[in-house]
Amino acid sequence: MGYTLAQKIIRAHLLEGEMTVGQEIGLRIDQTLTQDATGTMAYLEFEAIGIPRVRTELSVAYIDHNTLQSGFENADDHRYIQSVAKKHGLYFSRPGNGICHQVHLERFGVPGKTLIGSDSHTPTGGGIGMLAFGAGGLDVAVAMGGGTYYITMPKMLRVNLTGRLQPWVSAKDVILEVLRRLTVKGGVGKIVEYAGEGVATLSVPERATITNMGAELGASTSIFPSDEVTRAFLKAQGREQDWTPLASDPDAVYDEEITIDLSALQPSAACPHSPDNVKTVGEIGQMKVDQVCIGSCTNSSLSDMLKVASILKGKTVAEHVSLSIAPGSKQVYHMLADCGALSDLIAAGARVLECACGPCIGMGQSPNSAGISLRTFNRNFEGRSGTKDAQVYLVSPETAAYSALRGVLSDPRELGEQPLFPMPEQFLLNDNMIIPPASPEEAEGLEILRGPNIKPFPVSEPLTESISCECTLKVGDNITTDHIMPAGAKILPYRSNIPYLSKFCFAVCDEAFAERSKQKGSGIVVGGENYGQGSSREHAALVPLYLGVKAVIAKSFARIHVANLINAGILPLTFEDPADYEKISQGDALCLAGIRNIIAEGTVAILENRTTGETILLQVKLSDRQRRILLAGGLLNDTKGA
Ligand code: MIC
Ligand code: SF4
């Protein structure tokens, strides 16, 4: 029996376990990346582990999220990360050099290698045939120190691509169709592999748009084969030597398969407030728009920007629309300037932003009240834009640019014939904003620069014999880490200050949560399906830990978040019968008697609801390693004890 592409890369990196679906496996990690919003914490954790120099083949620290410097905090954190990078053996991508995933694809990604990043969209690297996972900061810190990365062996889902995209229909429309069919839970526990004759018609940046938004499917990761298209891209990046051909075996066995006929796709949009709420532009109709934002790690490549420039050329953005454009990297920005396309954007009235995440994470450009915003981004969760009642629609760059001109949601196919946008034979290569690490000798004398914003992070205590506390919060299905620990311009600068962040924990769901938790001192959170989907931010576990959350009981969990809960020492428990969710109300007194013994070796825990007198069975689905971590009170305690 042959192997799928992902299985081949897993086999070549397998350090522990067997490749049996559902079993925990340990992987050797070749490359890591961090961004600044999760990076400060990741490097504090790396320092706490105490390894002087990274042991990966390559580790890169990017600054791309917290680039609005409205106080000293972000600049201090940038300086801290820069000094850590130089001392501990990492490359440092300076602010302005671009969004981590775009730059990594351009300058560092290598087919067949493993990559983990402290950002959920790290699977962008799958566009170039990497096996790339989003992870919590502590997992990245451990991998930087040469430690094993653990995942549950996923199922394999093959997406068979046939046909070819129609003019003005985009890679974004492909992934929106996958999301429409599979939903934000459809990828959980799976690796999505793209295959079939349609693959060769898609460029590397188009493939990367698709693997990037595999994060929204909840997938472990997504991957494309490495073929002649990949080779041409790497060659144009001056890195042909990094290319290797990679594909699944002809007799590989997949657990599931779906087929997408590229020629049948239409321009589409994910409607508020979920990336799987997908309709075609035609179905939604000519809705008036207030704002259009183009960019983000999903759609900020040179070819995306050139398409946008060709649509805007010689026209003016509609009077009532604010159009912002953020090229994904300095390479993209510089090439736009050199070929004159930047002038077309400027002339049309676009507000050109620096190469960074920007509006995608609420760092500026929040829409007007109840504003309709079309964005080429990957997430449209409620409140993420910074305006609570804004309505965000996720669309392709083509749909975004054409709609910005017309002022209403519009189908770019009306533009008629599409010009060709061939990939350049040679990208502009200038890595002067990437600072290499110091030599080991030089590193010894280097000082780490810490600002006053950096506060100690919370560390859990070893697990107690029993847990008795209140249900301090009950929430519904598909709670995102943006609900648990919101981001945005006002809060993101405090990612290294957990006490300050805690004021905003769950504020989108319940503004009183933080205060209530502090008063009670401890608590249990109850959630529905897919609890913790979205971002990889470990702050969504560290802040609840700080607020005394001992356990989260949910119908099901998202992959990265459950790993973060365990790393923080918070118990993730699932209902044996999902209907029992109804048997707990906020404020109920709950007890998990003898929980320490159960975490040590049991598979079922009994929750006593002392308010109603009922008992509820909970599943304890943990590997031996996870049990050990929870007993120790989190991964840092476990690592120190080992
Ligand atoms: C996001 O898109 O939500 C982020 C901001 O990039 C996060 C990381 C973070 O919260 O810092 C992610 O996707 O992991
Ligand atoms: Fe940045 Fe947005 Fe991509 Fe997250 S999804 S890495 S905030 S551009």
Side-chain angles (χ1 to χ4, degrees):
M1 188 186 82
Y3 291 102
T4 77
L5 169 54
Q7 286 169 341
K8 286 185 187 180
I9 305 179
I10 291 175
R11 262 186 95 207
H13 291 82
L14 196 64
L15 296 177
E16 280 176 48
E18 280 172 26
M19 287 174 36
T20 312
V21 170
Q23 274 207 13
E24 189 171 78
I25 54 168
L27 297 177
R28 178 167 48 79
I29 295 302
D30 302 318
Q31 298 190 351
T32 65
L33 69 81
T34 57
Q35 40 90 338
D36 49 329
T38 51
T40 313
M41 192 57 71
Y43 295 112
L44 289 169
E45 290 162 337
F46 181 72
E47 287 190 282
I49 296 172
I51 290 172
R53 204 170 172 86
V54 293
R55 294 179 179 158
T56 49
E57 289 176 13
L58 173 93
S59 287
V60 191
Y62 292 90
I63 305 291
D64 54 2
H65 279 61
N66 290 347
T67 55
L68 264 190
Q69 293 162 220
S70 48
F72 63 90
E73 293 86 358
N74 289 342
D76 278 10
D77 284 358
H78 300 172
R79 223 170 42 140
Y80 165 70
I81 294 175
Q82 181 163 359
S83 65
V84 168
K86 191 147 209 169
K87 187 172 175 77
H88 293 296
L90 293 98
Y91 286 81
F92 178 74
S93 173
R94 295 167 64 179
N97 195 45
I99 305 175
C100 56
H101 308 305
Q102 175 66 27
V103 178
H104 208 84
L105 198 71
E106 291 167 356
R107 306 306 305 137
F108 296 114
V110 177
K113 297 278 181 189
T114 51
L115 163 72
I116 67 168
S118 61
D119 192 280
S120 64
H121 290 104
T122 305
T124 311
I128 209 169
M130 295 194 93
L131 193 71
F133 299 96
L138 184 50
D139 282 333
V140 176
V142 168
M144 286 192 293
T148 307
Y149 176 60
Y150 295 90
I151 57 164
T152 305
M153 181 66 199
K155 288 186 179 164
M156 299 291 144
L157 163 63
R158 178 178 151 119
V159 180
N160 194 28
L161 299 177
T162 61
R164 168 183 283 276
L165 290 171
Q166 300 280 317
W168 303 113
V169 182
S170 183
K172 181 62 147 265
D173 301 310
V174 179
I175 187 62
L176 288 177
E177 172 63 9
V178 181
L179 274 154
R180 189 185 68 80
R181 291 211 214 165
L182 300 181
T183 81
V184 291
K185 291 184 301 197
V188 173
K190 298 172 196 166
I191 291 184
V192 186
E193 284 196 21
Y194 291 86
E197 85 220 12
V199 165
T201 69
L202 297 172
S203 67
V204 164
E206 287 176 311
R207 297 174 185 186
T209 295
I210 294 170
T211 57
N212 172 286
M213 275 189 85
E216 277 53 68
L217 293 166
S220 302
T221 190
S222 306
I223 189 166
F224 271 84
S226 167
D227 56 9
E228 285 304 322
V229 174
T230 323
R231 179 192 205 141
F233 176 82
L234 283 169
K235 185 166 181 224
Q237 290 287 353
R239 304 198 289 122
E240 194 180 3
Q241 73 283 3
D242 287 342
W243 182 74
T244 29
L246 287 170
S248 62
D249 289 332
D251 56 345
V253 178
Y254 289 85
D255 300 281
E256 279 173 54
E257 182 163 339
I258 61 168
T259 296
I260 292 192
D261 177 4
L262 297 176
S263 13
L265 295 180
Q266 301 183 41
S268 302
C271 304
H273 296 288
S274 183
D276 61 0
N277 188 10
V278 176
K279 299 198 173 82
T280 63
V281 166
E283 278 167 345
I284 303 168
Q286 299 207 353
M287 170 186 70
K288 187 171 173 231
V289 302
D290 301 295
Q291 184 193 50
V292 176
C293 300
I294 298 176
S296 93
C297 58
T298 325
N299 277 119
S300 59
S301 65
L302 180 67
S303 54
D304 282 338
M305 295 292 149
L306 290 175
K307 284 179 198 164
V308 168
S310 86
I311 295 171
L312 296 182
K313 189 178 170 102
K315 312 262 171 38
T316 303
V317 173
E319 184 174 321
H320 58 276
V321 174
S322 163
L323 168 67
S324 73
I325 301 181
S329 69
K330 172 168 157 282
Q331 182 184 75
V332 172
Y333 201 5
H334 199 159
M335 290 183 77
L336 285 176
D338 278 357
C339 75
L342 183 61
S343 306
D344 298 329
L345 305 182
I346 297 170
R351 302 167 67 181
V352 183
L353 307 177
E354 74 172 312
C355 309
C357 300
C360 178
I361 192 56
M363 273 282 167
Q365 307 301 121
S366 298
N368 54 288
S369 296
I372 306 266
S373 178
L374 302 186
R375 299 177 159 214
T376 66
F377 307 165
N378 46 37
R379 291 185 173 143
N380 58 348
F381 304 147
E382 196 174 359
R384 183 173 159 105
S385 66
T387 302
K388 208 170 171 189
D389 58 0
Q391 307 285 313
V392 176
Y393 292 74
L394 307 175
V395 297
S396 70
E398 294 87 331
T399 301
Y402 184 49
S403 304
L405 294 178
R406 298 202 60 233
V408 290
L409 179 67
S410 305
D411 186 333
R413 288 176 300 179
E414 289 166 14
L415 286 161
E417 211 177 312
Q418 186 184 24
L420 288 177
F421 303 98
M423 192 188 64
E425 282 193 11
Q426 176 74 60
F427 286 97
L428 192 153
L429 304 180
N430 179 359
D431 291 331
N432 64 342
M433 294 289 277
I434 297 175
I435 304 179
S439 67
E441 302 72 48
E442 203 193 324
E444 266 183 39
L446 293 178
E447 195 198 333
I448 303 285
L449 306 172
R450 281 168 231 278
N453 191 37
I454 295 181
K455 298 279 184 279
F457 53 88
V459 178
S460 183
E461 298 291 320
L463 184 60
T464 48
E465 295 305 326
S466 298
I467 294 176
S468 285
C469 52
E470 221 176 73
C471 166
T472 40
L473 186 73
K474 184 173 178 186
V475 288
D477 289 345
N478 292 321
I479 285 295
T480 71
T481 47
D482 278 271
H483 289 104
I484 307 171
M485 198 51 255
K490 295 194 193 96
I491 310 178
L492 267 181
Y494 299 95
R495 279 290 181 89
S496 46
N497 186 343
I498 299 289
Y500 184 84
L501 275 188
S502 70
K503 297 183 197 165
F504 306 95
C505 187
F506 275 115
V508 191
C509 308
D510 180 350
E511 284 190 350
F513 173 74
E515 211 30 59
R516 185 165 63 244
S517 298
K518 271 206 176 141
Q519 271 170 18
K520 306 278 176 201
S522 63
I524 291 180
V525 172
V526 172
E529 298 281 6
N530 203 19
Y531 180 88
Q533 66 158 330
S535 146
S536 66
R537 59 191 74 146
E538 61 189 330
H539 305 75
L542 291 175
V543 172
L545 170 69
Y546 175 81
L547 289 173
V549 173
K550 303 288 177 206
V552 179
I553 303 173
K555 291 184 190 170
S556 64
F557 287 93
R559 181 185 72 89
I560 307 177
H561 187 60
V562 81
N564 287 339
L565 287 174
I566 293 169
N567 284 351
I570 298 179
L571 306 183
L573 301 166
T574 40
F575 290 103
E576 176 95 12
D577 176 2
D580 285 348
Y581 168 84
E582 303 302 336
K583 293 187 180 160
I584 309 176
S585 306
Q586 196 167 303
D588 284 357
L590 305 176
C591 178
L592 287 160
I595 191 67
R596 190 174 165 89
N597 285 339
I598 293 164
I599 293 298
E601 47 195 17
T603 53
V604 177
I606 298 172
L607 177 81
E608 197 189 328
N609 186 334
R610 291 189 168 159
T611 305
T612 63
E614 285 180 294
T615 51
I616 296 167
L617 294 185
L618 303 174
Q619 290 180 339
V620 180
K621 285 191 274 186
L622 299 167
S623 68
D624 290 346
R625 186 189 64 92
Q626 291 169 328
R627 290 177 193 276
R628 208 186 60 223
I629 294 173
L630 286 170
L631 292 174
L635 181 56
L636 270 185
N637 284 343
D638 182 54
T639 314
K640 280 185 199 145

